[in-house]
Amino acid sequence: MKFGHFDDTQREYVITQPDTPLPWINYLGSEEYFGLISNTAGGYSFYKDARLRRLTRYRYNNSPLDMGGRYLYLRDNSTDTYWSPSWMPTRVELDDYECRHGQGYTIITSKYNGIRSSTRYFVPLGESLEIWQVTLTNESRSDADLSLFSAIEFCLWDANDDATNFQRNYSIGQVEVIDDVIYHKTEYRERRDHFAYFACSEKLAGFDTQRESFLGAYHGWNEPAVVENGKSYDSIAHGWQPIGSHHVKVNLKAGEQKQIIFILGYQENPKDDKFDPPGSQTINKKSAKKALEKYLQTANADQAFDELRDYWTMLLGKMQVTTPDEHTDRMVNIWNAYQCMVTFNMSRSASYFESGIGRGMGFRDSNQDLLGFVHMIPERARERILDIAATQLKDGGAFHQYQPLTKRGNNDVGSGFNDDPAWLVLGVAAYVKESGDWSILDAPVQYENEPGTESALYEHLQRSIQYTLDRLGPNNLPLIGRADWNDCLNLNCFSDTPGQSFQTTTNKDGKVAESVFIAGLFVLACKEMAGISRKLKEERGDSFVFQLSSDDYFQFARDMETTVWKAGWDGNWFRRAYDDFGHVLGSKENTEGQIFIEPQGICVMAGLGVENGNAVKALDSVGERLATPHGIVLQQPAFSQYYLHLGEISSYPPGYKENAGVFCHTNPWIMIAESLVGRGDTAFDYYTRINPSAREEISELHKCEPYVYAQMIAGRDAATHGEAKNSWLSGTAAWNYVAITQFILGIQPTLDGLQVKPVLPSKWSGFEAVRSFRGVRYEISVQREGVGNEVSLEVDGKSIGGTIIPLPAEEGKTVKVKAVIR
Ligand code: BGC
Ligand code: NOJ
């Protein structure tokens, strides 16, 4: 069953029924000011940091679902009836309803008793404010006497305090209302130098800023007393729960239309110019004036919206494909790329499954997120890489997270995840391949954010590799530390205390438990390092300081491969790990957890077994043991009980999360591996199984949004097999983008130029693509003329050897590429 449909021409998903199985959300803003918005206008906004600079409140984990947002109420004053044009929170049944989620904007349109209302929510580029552009149309035959009320609930305190230290909040709330603009200034009198403002384009009939005055005692948002009575109190909040509500009277003749604009903004003032007049406690509002004057004008708001649309046309235009499959086209051309931007911006901080309070940007996560984003805005990826690298520890290890505001590393979710450093190598390699910007390797970068510790980024990468070499276990495999990519495989944890966090509790300084996954990742990272050093040497000769040569990195890779064949190969698949007792995990010797997906993906991606046939064996084992119609589960058989020596993975009931759920992040690794062994049909089949667009028809089961990937789909051991959870913020976005664009469609940036080497499904006759790469526009046409994967390339009419279109080509040029597959 569907709850809407794709409008690919508009690049929108159109939800046609408000009671979706879960709130289906979107993001506003892509720079510093962000908002989450659901299909019924739920959600909240923040500036840079969803914990400390949250502008509006949101109560997670509540019932009814998704209460609190950017609400409007319409009241027919002739009948004293009222409704919500976004359905929530009144849930009055609408005659018509439609929500269009686009890139950075959402439009909610509805009709009730002849009144059509359409609200466009978006954040203009370069601004720290959001616009709600409301168009009301009287489609009835009689004149309408209406009241329109806005309503938001302010935050501007540590969002964590909403649950833990609200006794303080009850006394700190402060507002000012001047010239019909509501200013929220909680904590401004002390250490904040920023405030929020909420304004309306119209003359007000009234306002409210105290929640209980607006709602009435014991009323919910579904029945505010002010809306019921049609009269605002003009209340001023002193402590308790500051809100912002405007009341506008609107008289519309039959057929008449009117536009009303609301602006919610964030504004900073210089520390010494906070108050006006100086010495008072009144906000200096001059800084907010310009934006208010500008965006309360329809023409300017419209122009800002057009600019936002154009911006996304430009970003998405960097890679566009036309294939025989509509689900591939709309994910690659629109939604997957868009989700990559969102995960790049948010890491794992703010979604409808992540509270925005666990505030970190993940070291491992951010390095992977940029893989799907770097082609859109390489400069931002560069900045991100340098920020992450500056949190690296001197021994090459990593803080697992860093804070977006301070950019400092922290141990809030533990540390000692021994895979972390290797991801930095993959992130940097992806950036250099995409941009050709070798200068990043010279950039001086601190360790642990300590001034004076700077070394070239290249040395950070060397230390990342060294970190693993310094931590090998009894089988010469890398020690796992707190965990590797799988945060829940906690082999040194041994937690027996209820409620204790597996992520942060003291671990054994384990000298035994080893990870085959890190071994595979290490081989992959060494090969990237070998490529980078080779190319650097070509470019710079000996003027660059190399401690290790390309050959050294190849040697590290070969040694680790030998170790994997000795201790990490189980006969038909790669093993997963050795536990603290030195016992194998992910082997036929185990009764549960015999085979895990992660090492099959990463080892084959690193090239292991591609030549000797073991890769195919491992992938066949995945197909036989792990693949389900809803995607590939993480391991089998699922852990049926809690195992002290395995940790969090066995804390989940079978079929959920890391305990044999379809942990979607890992599926594209298998798609890539299948492409590397030349099996395009299987790769594409796996791609389709978890492609959200291809799952749209089963939305009542899938539950999450059909336009973005979710972290997890319940596995075959679960009672709810096929049900997705944790949509939006997942490494799944970047990796699926990489799998489909770079491996299945085969358009891949390399150090030496753009590679075109598709591994397509056998039924496809070909596809077309345009790809911007290092300032050149490649128009690529792929045709299948035989059943194999052999590629011959013609570039601007001339055939070339190999599959890489050599550099350089003139910037701004268009290059025509014809690829024939036989
Ligand atoms: C989740 C993991 C996550 C970890 C750290 C666990 O509860 O299952 O997916 O990586 O928490 O936040
Ligand atoms: C989600 C985390 O953000 C990510 O870092 C981790 O790799 C996966 N969970 C698997 O545990």
Side-chain angles (χ1 to χ4, degrees):
M1 176 186 175
K2 303 205 293 182
F3 296 81
H5 55 88
F6 287 91
D7 180 343
D8 294 335
T9 324
Q10 287 301 313
R11 303 191 309 241
E12 291 169 340
Y13 191 80
V14 189
I15 300 162
T16 47
Q17 151 174 2
D19 54 340
T20 44
L22 290 168
W24 283 2
I25 74 159
N26 192 16
Y27 285 81
L28 309 177
S30 62
E31 295 158 322
E32 297 183 325
Y33 184 102
F34 297 102
L36 286 75
I37 184 164
S38 71
N39 57 310
T40 58
Y44 62 98
S45 297
F46 59 93
Y47 178 78
K48 280 191 185 173
D49 183 325
R51 174 168 173 178
L52 285 180
R53 299 196 187 194
R54 193 180 292 197
L55 267 71
T56 56
R57 292 176 82 185
Y58 191 75
R59 279 170 209 80
Y60 277 97
N61 229 347
N62 214 342
S63 176
L65 275 179
D66 193 24
M67 187 56 85
R70 300 169 183 83
Y71 289 144
L72 294 171
Y73 300 86
L74 275 165
R75 183 179 199 279
D76 184 339
N77 293 326
S78 63
T79 56
D80 292 341
T81 51
Y82 63 92
W83 70 99
S84 302
S86 60
W87 188 63
M88 281 285 272
T90 63
R91 288 195 280 124
V92 171
E93 200 179 326
L94 299 163
D95 301 330
D96 238 10
Y97 158 90
E98 178 187 276
C99 167
R100 287 179 172 262
H101 285 317
Q103 291 74 53
Y105 69 88
T106 288
I107 304 169
I108 301 178
T109 305
S110 66
K111 188 172 166 181
Y112 182 74
N113 271 0
I115 305 299
R116 181 168 298 282
S117 139
S118 180
T119 309
R120 184 161 81 183
Y121 299 92
F122 70 102
V123 175
L125 293 171
E127 300 286 1
S128 36
L129 57 87
E130 65 189 62
I131 297 180
W132 315 357
Q133 248 181 308
V134 188
T135 308
L136 296 177
T137 315
N138 182 355
E139 294 183 353
S140 78
R141 275 192 229 121
S142 42
D143 296 354
D145 169 13
L146 304 172
S147 278
L148 174 67
F149 297 88
S150 64
I152 54 167
E153 195 171 0
F154 287 119
C155 185
L156 265 196
W157 45 63
D158 181 339
N160 196 42
D161 286 357
D162 253 349
T164 52
N165 196 20
F166 43 91
Q167 61 80 24
R168 167 179 158 83
N169 299 351
Y170 284 172
S171 291
I172 61 177
Q174 289 192 303
V175 298
E176 290 176 26
V177 183
I178 307 287
D179 297 336
D180 282 357
V181 181
I182 299 170
Y183 295 88
H184 178 229
K185 60 171 186 177
T186 296
E187 291 194 344
Y188 189 73
R189 63 192 307 285
E190 33 125 351
R191 289 158 297 173
R192 287 185 191 267
D193 45 20
H194 46 264
F195 60 91
Y197 55 88
F198 189 33
C200 175
S201 58
E202 307 304 302
K203 175 109 204 67
L204 300 189
F207 65 86
D208 275 285
T209 68
Q210 182 67 274
R211 190 183 73 190
E212 298 322 301
S213 307
F214 178 73
L215 293 181
Y218 294 93
H219 281 225
W221 291 97
N222 59 328
E223 45 173 16
V226 158
V227 180
E228 266 178 2
N229 302 327
K231 192 167 165 21
S232 299
Y233 281 98
D234 297 353
S235 59
I236 296 290
H238 300 284
W240 297 113
Q241 330 268 6
I243 63 154
S245 169
H246 309 95
H247 176 190
V248 181
K249 291 247 168 139
V250 193
N251 288 303
L252 287 181
K253 296 208 167 41
E256 200 184 346
Q257 188 174 75
K258 182 169 176 62
Q259 192 166 113
I260 298 165
I261 298 177
F262 296 93
I263 293 181
L264 171 63
Y266 166 95
Q267 186 63 48
E268 280 175 11
N269 274 335
K271 273 202 171 24
D272 55 3
D273 197 18
K274 278 171 62 168
F275 301 106
D276 182 22
S280 74
Q281 290 291 299
T282 314
I283 306 175
N284 174 2
K285 307 180 182 67
K286 286 186 212 109
S287 47
K289 237 181 146 172
K290 221 173 87 201
L292 283 175
E293 277 167 7
K294 180 168 179 190
Y295 293 111
L296 289 174
Q297 311 286 332
T298 304
N300 296 334
D302 285 348
Q303 192 189 335
F305 182 73
D306 292 345
E307 283 167 10
L308 179 67
R309 288 270 304 175
D310 291 348
Y311 178 67
W312 273 101
T313 305
M314 181 275 290
L315 287 182
L316 298 176
K318 303 224 167 174
M319 169 116 207
Q320 289 287 300
V321 300
T322 313
T323 74
D325 179 55
E326 63 167 348
H327 305 298
T328 302
D329 288 2
R330 71 166 62 104
M331 290 311 287
V332 170
N333 296 341
I334 307 168
W335 291 100
N336 193 2
Y338 177 50
Q339 188 180 2
C340 285
M341 164 73 100
V342 173
T343 53
F344 178 84
N345 287 331
M346 297 286 138
S347 190
R348 306 296 169 266
S349 69
S351 73
Y352 268 33
F353 295 85
E354 300 278 5
S355 67
I357 288 171
R359 15 180 337 190
M361 310 286 294
F363 193 98
R364 166 206 298 144
D365 292 336
S366 292
N367 275 305
Q368 292 173 81
D369 290 342
L370 63 84
L371 304 177
F373 168 82
V374 59
H375 70 289
M376 286 194 271
I377 317 179
E379 303 74 27
R380 284 190 65 196
R382 183 183 210 272
E383 186 190 345
R384 176 65 52 80
I385 285 170
L386 297 177
D387 288 345
I388 303 171
T391 70
Q392 189 176 24
L393 307 179
K394 296 186 191 92
D395 67 3
F399 283 111
H400 199 48
Q401 292 194 335
Y402 78 92
Q403 282 148 296
L405 271 181
T406 63
K407 298 189 171 176
R408 296 186 76 85
N410 68 63
N411 277 334
D412 288 357
V413 293
S415 64
F417 297 83
N418 279 353
D419 64 315
D420 269 337
W423 296 109
L424 180 64
V425 177
L426 267 58
V428 172
Y431 170 74
V432 177
K433 287 175 189 170
E434 181 67 42
S435 64
D437 169 20
W438 291 94
S439 76
I440 193 173
L441 296 165
D442 306 306
V445 183
Q446 297 172 353
Y447 292 89
E448 301 175 38
N449 308 104
E450 255 176 58
T453 58
E454 290 81 359
S455 80
L457 179 66
Y458 187 74
E459 184 172 327
H460 282 254
L461 303 185
Q462 310 211 61
R463 291 197 197 183
S464 292
I465 298 291
Q466 194 58 42
Y467 180 85
T468 303
L469 291 173
D470 290 345
R471 284 165 186 75
L472 300 179
N475 294 297
N476 273 328
L477 287 165
L479 291 171
I480 197 167
R482 184 173 284 276
D484 59 24
W485 171 88
N486 189 334
D487 280 331
C488 299
L489 189 58
N490 312 126
L491 305 180
N492 290 307
C493 185
F494 294 88
S495 174
D496 57 6
T497 309
Q500 188 171 59
S501 159
F502 290 96
Q503 309 296 318
T504 54
T505 186
T506 312
N507 269 0
K508 285 174 77 162
D509 181 18
K511 296 277 188 277
V512 179
E514 299 170 306
S515 162
V516 178
F517 176 83
I518 301 181
L521 180 63
F522 176 81
V523 174
L524 189 55
C526 283
K527 290 185 175 171
E528 295 289 11
M529 282 303 282
I532 289 175
S533 337
R534 169 189 55 86
K535 196 74 188 164
L536 256 182
K537 187 136 197 164
E538 272 170 42
E539 304 249 323
R540 308 270 183 91
D542 285 329
S543 64
F544 197 82
V545 192
F546 295 98
Q547 285 159 21
L548 298 165
S549 69
S550 179
D551 289 345
D552 292 324
Y553 288 112
F554 275 126
Q555 193 55 47
F556 294 153
R558 272 195 299 273
D559 291 348
M560 189 60 83
E561 285 180 25
T562 309
T563 304
V564 170
W565 294 127
K566 227 187 266 162
W569 178 249
D570 204 55
N572 283 308
W573 59 81
F574 294 96
R575 297 175 164 181
R576 180 63 178 85
Y578 287 85
D579 66 20
D580 186 51
F581 308 103
H583 298 148
V584 69
L585 182 65
S587 157
K588 55 182 174 307
E589 290 172 29
N590 301 101
T591 44
E592 296 181 346
Q594 284 182 342
I595 171 170
F596 284 68
I597 190 172
E598 308 101 301
Q600 322 313 324
I602 209 81
C603 290
V604 179
M605 282 162 71
L608 274 91
V610 175
E611 306 277 291
N612 69 10
N614 281 349
V616 165
K617 266 195 201 163
L619 292 171
D620 285 346
S621 302
V622 168
E624 280 156 29
R625 291 163 181 261
L626 300 179
T628 80
H630 296 291
I632 312 167
V633 299
L634 195 139
Q635 100 275 9
Q636 284 286 289
F639 298 115
S640 60
Q641 62 183 82
Y642 177 60
Y643 294 104
L644 195 63
H645 67 293
L646 300 180
E648 185 165 0
I649 191 167
S650 60
S651 75
Y652 292 112
Y656 294 99
K657 299 276 288 182
E658 282 87 344
N659 188 12
V662 176
F663 210 95
C664 296
H665 185 142
T666 59
N667 280 221
W669 295 342
I670 300 298
M671 298 167 205
I672 294 172
E674 288 287 356
S675 315
L676 291 172
V677 300
R679 299 200 295 200
D681 281 325
T682 323
F684 188 70
D685 178 15
Y686 289 147
Y687 174 72
T688 305
R689 292 188 205 195
I690 64 164
N691 181 325
S693 162
R695 297 174 61 78
E696 187 194 15
E697 296 283 350
I698 51 163
S699 287
E700 78 289 359
L701 169 66
H702 184 78
K703 284 202 169 72
C704 285
E705 297 91 335
Y707 40 91
V708 289
Y709 287 96
Q711 182 203 61
M712 195 237 357
I713 298 172
R716 69 157 84 103
D717 302 284
T720 55
H721 186 30
E723 178 188 77
K725 281 189 192 130
N726 206 347
S727 54
W728 283 97
L729 304 186
S730 164
T732 310
W735 277 110
N736 270 286
Y737 192 80
V738 169
I740 185 71
T741 60
Q742 298 190 18
F743 289 88
I744 298 176
L745 302 180
I747 302 175
Q748 187 177 139
T750 75
L751 296 174
D752 300 302
L754 191 65
Q755 172 166 286
V756 180
K757 197 181 166 197
V759 183
L760 299 180
S762 50
K763 282 207 210 87
W764 283 23
S765 56
F767 71 93
E768 310 283 316
V770 282
R771 172 68 152 88
S772 296
F773 175 68
R774 305 204 194 174
V776 177
R777 193 138 183 93
Y778 293 87
E779 294 180 356
I780 304 165
S781 157
V782 177
Q783 282 163 33
R784 184 187 276 297
E785 287 182 4
V787 292
N789 295 310
E790 201 69 32
V791 180
S792 355
L793 285 189
E794 250 179 39
V795 178
D796 281 337
K798 284 196 208 93
S799 64
I800 61 162
T803 55
I804 297 177
I805 308 160
L807 294 165
E810 226 174 279
E811 284 222 13
K813 221 185 132 183
T814 299
V815 171
K816 288 209 185 301
V817 182
K818 192 174 155 202
V820 174
I821 306 182
R822 291 188 184 88

